[in-house]
Amino acid sequence: MSDDTLHDARSVVSRRRFVQGLGFAGLVAGTGLWRLPAAQARQVSFPVPELRGATQHLHIGELPVNFTGKARTAITVNQSLPAPVLRWREGETVNLHVHNALRDDVSSIHWHGLLLPANMDGVPGLSFDGIAPGQAYHYRFELRQNGTYWYHSHSLFQEQAGLYGAIVIDPIAPPPYRFDREHVLLLSDWTDLDGAALYRRMKKMAMHDNTYQQTLGELVRDARRDGLRATLAERAQWARMRMTPTDLSDINANTYTYLLNGHTPAANWTGLFRPGERVLLRLINGSAMTHFDIRIPGLKLTVVAADGQYVHPVSVDELRIATAETFDVLVEPTGQDAFTVFAQDMGRTGFACGTLATRPGLAAVVPALDRRPLLSMADMAHDHGSGHGSGYGAASTAAAHAGHAMPADPHAAHAGHGRAAAPVNHPASETGSPVVDMQSSPSGPRLEDPGIGLRDNGRRVLAYADLHSLFDDPDGREPGAANEPARTG
């Protein structure tokens, strides 16, 4: 690989990220229980606790942490960030006594993806009243499934502040694949700001934390390529949506620090393996709002489960994991002693990373961030190339008359397994309606599209069309529109 595509870890990790590494131990360093010289800090990895057994006591509290060189307060479970991994067995009835030791705030835990009675779901105001300070709540439910899941708070901004953890439910029957070792990889996004303050700032000025904006130079470049009239029309379309083509996430690495199992990039979380082993990686996106694109250079990822459900194995180089999703993947590390687990955000502003290694203290080359992607109108379901109007009035008309209508997304033609998408017919009542701000004309389901920033990048990328369950659909009906009459017979 060329020097301009791969960089040494020290050149990729900026000074800011190196400082983040010095706070690697998170709450451990913050409490003064464990202090190391700065020279050693980058190479130390600490494990996330694992709790086994059907009966557990979970204590929600606060502890100081330091991920960026600034001491801040995090919300923890049993003094751990992330919260401990909960390991159960399918068919068990679990009893979880959750104690709220916060001084002022009501708290809760939601068991994401689990099939539960409503009063065990853990959403205040919907399924119960929440857990008041100084009080406890007894969660009791039967485990009717197996696989990789996670849990998090559903109260205020506590999840963003650290209240999240992994769940592993071992199956009664052996899984349809073999593995020798496993690691949980829990991704998250941390901010030193108070969650409520960050939310208020985002509501007042949505672009404040999205500093990846287009420049005047890019406007001149696009005008030379597409013509001034078409370029201004395209910019006007985005302005009418109050968005920009760089609006991939409201908040990115300019504000967030991305963590892997509670480790900053410089802290180098390390999962061990022996050459020749098959290693199961349980990938969980526990972020507040970040989508991550994950790859391990030099290794294929064989996806064997999605959101806790077994799928026919599919081998890829890279996959996108959206907020709250989980994937189980198999890797077979061999040929070198260390491999980088690299998870860049969708906007290419930053990354989380760690290492699979044969022994502690090793690190591999960290890839450079991919080039920043730009949204197209096709990504926004306004596909000019489909022959339908975008619903943007004068701006759209100007672009069409200029002969520079935005091209259709190159992957849109493949939507629906190569079949042309049917035209989108909007009701006549929408025309001129004061309650219709814009109309969307999607070109198809696009399940074969891996997503913006992942198309034609030279790597085999997972798409939803690649995922096929190992069991028959228990419903049995073909999908259809919600307003279609029910079929009989």
Side-chain angles (χ1 to χ4, degrees), residues 138-196:
H138 181 194
Y139 291 92
R140 185 178 188 275
F141 49 84
E142 181 183 355
L143 299 173
R144 301 162 54 193
Q145 61 211 98
N146 63 72
T148 303
Y149 302 93
W150 68 299
Y151 63 103
H152 57 88
S153 173
H154 244 294
S155 300
L156 301 174
F157 299 92
Q158 293 174 8
E159 176 193 327
Q160 173 80 94
L163 208 170
Y164 52 83
I167 296 173
V168 177
I169 306 176
D170 293 316
I172 295 176
Y177 48 83
R178 177 187 64 82
F179 64 95
D180 304 299
R181 187 191 298 256
E182 67 177 276
H183 294 293
V184 171
L185 303 183
L186 176 55
L187 296 161
S188 58
D189 41 23
W190 168 265
T191 175
D192 284 342
L193 297 173
D194 174 74

Side-chain angles (χ1 to χ4, degrees), residues 35-188:
R35 298 186 185 277
L36 289 175
Q40 299 180 32
R42 293 188 71 250
Q43 297 300 323
V44 176
S45 176
F46 60 93
V48 177
E50 180 179 282
L51 301 179
R52 291 174 177 259
T55 299
Q56 298 293 341
H57 287 264
L58 305 179
H59 298 266
I60 300 172
E62 295 179 324
L63 280 177
V65 299
N66 186 342
F67 291 114
T68 66
K70 299 177 181 178
R72 292 293 184 265
T73 299
I75 297 180
T76 61
V77 174
N78 293 8
Q79 300 189 342
S80 176
L81 191 166
V85 177
L86 301 179
R87 185 127 203 169
W88 303 321
R89 185 169 179 80
E90 182 181 5
E92 287 182 329
T93 296
V94 297
N95 288 274
L96 302 165
H97 303 272
V98 179
H99 306 263
N100 182 5
L102 300 176
R103 288 172 294 181
D104 302 312
D105 295 335
V106 171
S107 192
S108 61
I109 291 182
H110 167 66
W111 317 97
H112 198 104
L114 300 193
L115 303 172
L116 302 171
N119 63 333
M120 295 291 110
D121 196 48
V123 180
L126 181 64
S127 59
F128 79 141
D129 294 330
I131 309 171
Q135 301 297 311
Y137 190 80
H138 181 194
Y139 291 92
R140 185 178 188 275
F141 49 84
E142 181 183 355
L143 299 173
R144 301 162 54 193
Q145 61 211 98
N146 63 72
T148 303
Y149 302 93
W150 68 299
Y151 63 103
H152 57 88
S153 173
H154 244 294
S155 300
L156 301 174
F157 299 92
Q158 293 174 8
E159 176 193 327
Q160 173 80 94
L163 208 170
Y164 52 83
I167 296 173
V168 177
I169 306 176
D170 293 316
I172 295 176
Y177 48 83
R178 177 187 64 82
F179 64 95
D180 304 299
R181 187 191 298 256
E182 67 177 276
H183 294 293
V184 171
L185 303 183
L186 176 55
L187 296 161
S188 58

Side-chain angles (χ1 to χ4, degrees), residues 164-352:
Y164 52 83
I167 296 173
V168 177
I169 306 176
D170 293 316
I172 295 176
Y177 48 83
R178 177 187 64 82
F179 64 95
D180 304 299
R181 187 191 298 256
E182 67 177 276
H183 294 293
V184 171
L185 303 183
L186 176 55
L187 296 161
S188 58
D189 41 23
W190 168 265
T191 175
D192 284 342
L193 297 173
D194 174 74
L198 180 59
Y199 180 73
R200 288 194 300 270
R201 188 168 80 184
M202 184 176 67
K203 297 296 287 185
K204 292 176 181 177
M205 186 178 180
M207 309 306 293
H208 184 282
D209 293 275
N210 180 16
T211 59
Y212 238 19
Q213 303 298 319
Q214 289 182 296
T215 65
L216 177 60
E218 289 174 305
L219 176 68
V220 173
R221 180 202 63 194
D222 293 348
R224 289 173 177 170
R225 183 189 63 202
D226 302 327
L228 179 60
R229 188 178 183 188
T231 299
L232 293 178
E234 184 261 351
R235 296 299 200 273
Q237 290 174 348
W238 286 104
R240 285 176 63 84
M241 287 195 297
R242 297 182 293 278
M243 293 181 63
T244 73
T246 62
D247 192 9
L248 296 169
S249 59
D250 293 316
I251 303 169
N252 56 36
N254 295 295
T255 302
Y256 280 144
T257 298
Y258 299 134
L259 306 179
L260 173 59
N261 289 344
H263 292 64
T264 64
N268 192 30
W269 173 87
T270 302
L272 299 181
F273 71 88
R274 292 189 180 94
E277 285 185 328
R278 302 184 81 193
V279 182
L280 178 66
L281 303 178
R282 300 181 182 271
L283 310 179
I284 304 170
N285 187 349
S287 70
M289 65 167 296
T290 305
H291 290 18
F292 291 98
D293 296 331
I294 304 175
R295 68 184 191 269
I296 304 177
L299 296 181
K300 287 287 187 181
L301 310 177
T302 300
V303 181
V304 294
D307 291 328
Q309 308 301 306
Y310 296 135
V311 298
H312 287 278
V314 54
S315 292
V316 297
D317 300 313
E318 185 172 16
L319 63 83
R320 171 165 292 168
I321 184 167
T323 302
E325 280 189 321
T326 74
F327 286 103
D328 291 359
V329 303
L330 291 171
V331 297
E332 298 184 43
T334 187
Q336 58 192 65
D337 290 337
F339 296 85
T340 295
V341 179
F342 185 69
Q344 60 183 333
D345 72 336
M346 190 167 64
R348 311 304 187 235
T349 65
F351 59 88

